[in-house]
Amino acid sequence: MPLMLLALDNTLLDREAAFRAWGAKFLDEIGAPPGDLEWLVSIDADGLTSRWDLADSMLNRYHLRASAVDLVDELDLGLMENTRLDPLVACALRIADDAGWMPVVVSNGPAYRQETIIRRTGLDRYVADWVISEAAGVSKPNPRIFTLAAERVRMHLEDAWIVGDSPEADIGAAAAMGLPSVWLHRGRRWMESRFEPTTSAGSLIQGLSAVLAGGRVVHG
């Protein structure tokens, strides 16, 4: 039974949609122009911007009376409340499990928020386990976090695939470990010259199909 190591944000769950939903409501509440949503999304940079830096940018732009702590808490709560598990993704994970794969989440981010989202969306029912960088003390693309994920489910990394949307954190890690990978391009072009994914896909469902078609499932 080989491992399928999956990113969380914008791979298993649509973080961008959740952030946009929270951002639109927040901007409406403070009376900001609707067009500012694109500014907010660009500053967030798919979650790569520190939550504290994002809060500081919002405080400076809108001269809010709230503190950075309040904004970070509101962002975390907003993401937890607005994130949904696509039923088709749940179905695809079940199919992968039935085909002999063991899906494990490997995610960078705050442990409480990420774990709450995993449980709140019901994703925990479709994966074997998860490792979150804040709790693990190591983050992607460091190979150690993937080793920890394998250890959590008492498996080896042999025959494992890595699936994710980040060229550096997911595909770069796979390349460093010599593991096959699927890059979820989300409409982007591959720009990295140092390494490349085994294959790319436009959605997680397509990515899982690629793994099932190209991966060697070990039975017994």
Side-chain angles (χ1 to χ4, degrees), residues 27-197:
L27 294 175
D28 180 64
E29 289 176 348
I30 65 173
D36 277 17
L37 178 60
E38 296 308 316
W39 170 83
L40 187 59
V41 169
S42 67
I43 293 297
D44 175 64
D46 263 348
L48 294 178
T49 301
S50 160
R51 295 173 298 158
W52 300 101
D53 290 342
L54 177 63
D56 286 341
S57 295
M58 295 172 67
L59 288 171
N60 292 333
R61 184 178 180 93
Y62 299 113
H63 308 290
L64 302 173
R65 294 182 179 179
S67 66
V69 173
D70 291 336
L71 277 181
V72 168
D73 287 345
E74 187 165 349
L75 168 60
D76 285 345
L77 181 60
L79 287 175
M80 288 188 286
E81 290 181 342
N82 287 284
T83 303
R84 304 286 185 270
L85 174 62
D86 185 335
L88 294 178
V89 168
C91 182
L93 287 170
R94 186 68 75 200
I95 291 172
D97 179 72
D98 290 342
W101 290 85
M102 181 175 287
V104 178
V105 179
V106 183
S107 174
N108 287 345
Y112 174 76
R113 186 185 72 195
Q114 301 298 73
E115 290 183 5
T116 299
I117 288 174
I118 289 171
R119 296 184 187 280
R120 186 168 185 161
T121 59
L123 180 61
D124 59 317
R125 299 196 297 269
Y126 299 95
V127 297
D129 211 330
W130 53 85
V131 175
I132 311 300
S133 63
E134 185 180 72
V138 61
S139 60
K140 300 185 296 184
N142 191 320
R144 177 58 182 160
I145 194 170
F146 294 94
T147 301
L148 289 173
E151 292 174 353
R152 285 286 293 268
V153 291
R154 300 181 181 180
M155 297 284 290
H156 298 289
L157 287 173
E158 183 180 358
D159 294 325
W161 279 66
I162 293 179
V163 181
D165 74 302
S166 171
E168 183 70 27
D170 301 313
I171 310 307
M177 293 185 289
L179 295 176
S181 61
V182 179
W183 179 53
L184 303 188
H185 59 72
R186 298 170 56 214
R188 300 166 295 171
R189 293 180 58 190
W190 183 260
M191 305 296 291
E192 180 59 64
S193 60
R194 295 172 297 166
F195 49 81
E196 60 183 21

